[in-house]
Amino acid sequence: MTEMIPQADPGAGYRAQKAEIDAAVARALSSGWYILGKEGEAFEREFAAWLGQGRAVGCANGTDALALILRGLGIGEGSTVATVSHTAVATVAAIEMAGAMPLLLDIEPDHYTMDPDELTAVLEDPPPGLPPIRAAIVVHLYGQACDLGPMLAACERNGVALIEDCAQAHGATWQGRKLGTLGRAAGFSFYPTKNLGALGDGGALVTEDWELAERIAAIRQYGWQERYVSAMVGVNSRLDEVQAAILRVRLAHLDAGNARRREIAAAYDAALAEGGAIAAPARREGCEHVFHQYVLRTPERAAVQARLRELGIGTGIHYPVPVHLQPAYKDRVPLGPAGCAETARAAQEVLSLPMFPEMTDAQVERVCDALRRLAG
Ligand SMILES: *Cc1c(COP(=O)(O)O)cnc(C)c1O
C-alpha cells in the first residue's frame, strides 16, 4: 500500500520553515508582551506593504475580519449584504454576526464566483421585502478573482460597498492588481491551510480608508481609542503576538509558495489534457490564480474520488453542501432570483486535488499519473 497523499498538509508548511518559525515564536514569547504589540504592528505594516497599498488591521480570524469591516461601515441591522452560497459558511456567518441580512446569489458555473449579472440585477431592482442592500461581499474562491469589472461598476452606480473576501486569494491578481486592493475593504483569513497560514487562528482586514481602519482598530478591542475608555461599542477580536510573529515568517515565503502551487497546477493541467477524461479548471483571463484549491468538476465525482483514494490520493470537497441548503440557513436566508441553481449543481460535482507548496515532485507525479489513468 502506497502512502496516502493528503489533500492539504499544514504540518508540512511548519516543518519546511521550522527554524525560522521557532525563532520567531521564541522572540514573541521572550518579549513579555502577548497581544497587540510590536509583532502585530510589524506584520500589519509588512502585509500592507506586500499588498502595495492600504492599511492592514490584524484580528482574530477571517470571519471576524469581514464582520469588523461591516461594523466599521455601520452596516448591520436594517441592511442587506449580498454574497454567494457557494463559499465557506464563514462569509455568511460574518454578515449575520454584524446583524445584517445575507442575500445569497448564484455563481458562474466555470469560475465558481458570483454571477455579476445577478448582482447587477438585484442592485438595480432589489427583491421586495428586504432591507436596502448596502454591501456586496464577493468571494475570490479557490484562489481566483471574481469577474470584478461589472461588479465594481454596479456597486459604484448604486452606492453599495464592494467588500472582497480574500480568505483564499492571498497574492492573486485581477488586471495586474492584487486582490484585496480593489474594493472598499478586504478580509483575509490566516487559518493554517490558507495560502498564508498561521499555526492557529488569525485574520486581517485591509482598506485604503485610514479613518475606517482606525475605527475598526478600536472596535476590535472593546471600542477603545484610549485604554479603558470605549469610544464606541466594540468586540474582542485581536491577533496575538505569537501568530503575528509566525505570519511575518510565512509572508516572506508566500510568493514562492504561490509559485509552487502554480507549478503543481500546470502539471495537473498537462496530465488531465493527456488523460482526456476531465477538463482542467477554467482560468479567468487577465487574472493570476494562486490555487488555494485545484478543483475538478465531474458528474462522476463519487467514482473518481474512490478511484483516487485507491491510488493513495486524498481529495476534498469545497463545499459539499451550499450554505442555502444547510440546516442553519435553509428556508430562512433569502436567495437571489436565480435561486442558486448553479450553486447546487456545482456542490454535487466539485472535487479538490492535493494542493500545498511542500508537495514533493514525486507526490505531484503520482497525482499526475493517476489523472492520466482516469481516462481508462
Ligand atoms: C477560511 C475562509 C473564511 C474564514 O476564515 P476563518 O479564519 O476560518 O474565520 C472566510 N471566507 C472564506 C472564503 C474562507 O475560505
Side-chain angles (χ1 to χ4, degrees):
M1 182 60 194
T2 44
E3 205 185 323
M4 196 77 181
I5 301 173
Q7 200 266 321
D9 190 357
Y14 168 58
R15 288 189 297 277
Q17 294 149 16
K18 185 174 184 319
E20 277 180 276
I21 289 173
D22 288 354
V25 169
R27 186 180 69 226
L29 292 179
S30 317
S31 75
W33 188 277
Y34 303 110
I35 301 234
L36 295 187
K38 289 196 174 67
E39 297 290 341
E41 278 166 27
F43 173 69
E44 287 174 350
R45 260 194 324 273
E46 288 159 11
F47 190 58
W50 173 83
L51 277 171
Q53 69 181 58
R55 161 137 186 227
V57 179
C59 62
N61 55 66
T63 312
D64 281 2
L66 296 171
L68 283 167
I69 291 168
L70 292 172
R71 279 180 191 274
L73 290 170
I75 296 174
E77 220 175 309
S79 304
T80 296
V81 177
T83 191
V84 284
S85 179
H86 188 68
T87 182
V89 74
T91 314
V92 181
I95 294 169
E96 294 205 306
M97 277 170 65
M101 171 77 77
L103 171 65
L104 301 181
L105 305 184
D106 211 354
I107 53 169
E108 300 179 282
D110 290 342
H111 298 98
Y112 308 106
T113 51
M114 185 184 281
D115 178 351
D117 294 337
E118 196 183 16
L119 177 66
T120 305
V122 297
L123 295 187
E124 246 117 70
D125 183 16
L130 289 182
I133 302 173
R134 298 198 44 220
I137 300 185
V138 304
V139 183
H140 303 302
L141 200 73
Y142 303 148
Q144 176 160 251
C146 299
D147 190 4
L148 276 171
M151 298 200 284
L152 283 165
C155 286
E156 172 87 40
R157 261 198 320 278
N158 292 280
V160 165
L162 186 142
I163 297 165
E164 300 177 78
D165 181 342
C166 293
Q168 303 189 2
H170 318 73
T173 66
W174 177 80
Q175 298 191 357
R177 295 167 66 188
K178 276 209 176 98
L179 300 184
T181 63
L182 293 146
R184 184 86 166 80
F188 287 85
S189 164
F190 308 128
Y191 185 77
T193 58
K194 309 288 184 179
N195 292 39
L196 178 58
L199 299 175
D201 269 316
L205 53 102
V206 177
T207 178
E208 278 190 277
D209 178 343
W210 244 248
E211 246 174 74
L212 176 62
E214 275 301 310
R215 200 154 57 242
I216 293 173
I219 294 171
R220 78 173 159 179
Q221 177 159 249
Y222 323 127
W224 285 355
Q225 267 164 355
E226 65 183 281
R227 213 168 173 75
Y228 306 122
V229 183
S230 294
M232 61 198 92
V233 174
V235 298
N236 175 4
S237 181
R238 299 175 296 215
L239 180 64
D240 71 69
E241 290 286 283
V242 169
Q243 296 307 329
I246 293 169
L247 284 164
R248 293 179 68 192
V249 174
R250 310 287 312 226
L251 180 60
H253 294 277
L254 176 56
D255 291 336
N258 283 343
R260 174 65 176 156
R261 286 172 185 268
R262 278 195 288 273
E263 195 173 86
I264 296 166
Y268 290 174
D269 283 353
L272 287 166
E274 263 180 71
I278 300 177
R283 313 297 207 273
R284 196 183 293 288
E285 220 183 284
C287 299
E288 194 158 56
H289 201 316
V290 292
F291 291 97
H292 174 60
Q293 302 294 357
Y294 186 99
V295 177
L296 301 181
R297 181 159 190 165
T298 166
E300 312 295 326
R301 180 174 67 193
V304 171
Q305 191 170 31
R307 180 80 184 115
L308 290 174
R309 192 182 308 116
E310 270 169 30
L311 295 168
I313 291 154
T315 54
I317 296 175
H318 302 96
Y319 296 91
V321 185
V323 176
H324 74 282
L325 297 177
Q326 298 182 19
Y329 300 94
K330 195 172 171 2
D331 301 328
R332 183 175 69 80
V333 169
L335 308 183
C340 291
E342 291 294 349
T343 295
R345 257 193 293 280
Q348 302 291 316
E349 299 185 352
V350 290
L351 186 65
S352 308
L353 295 181
M355 178 54 81
F356 50 96
E358 299 77 22
M359 283 181 81
T360 63
D361 289 343
Q363 286 178 317
V364 175
E365 190 39 44
R366 261 183 61 204
V367 178
C368 288
D369 197 46
L371 294 176
R372 282 184 213 107
R373 286 206 265 162
L374 282 179

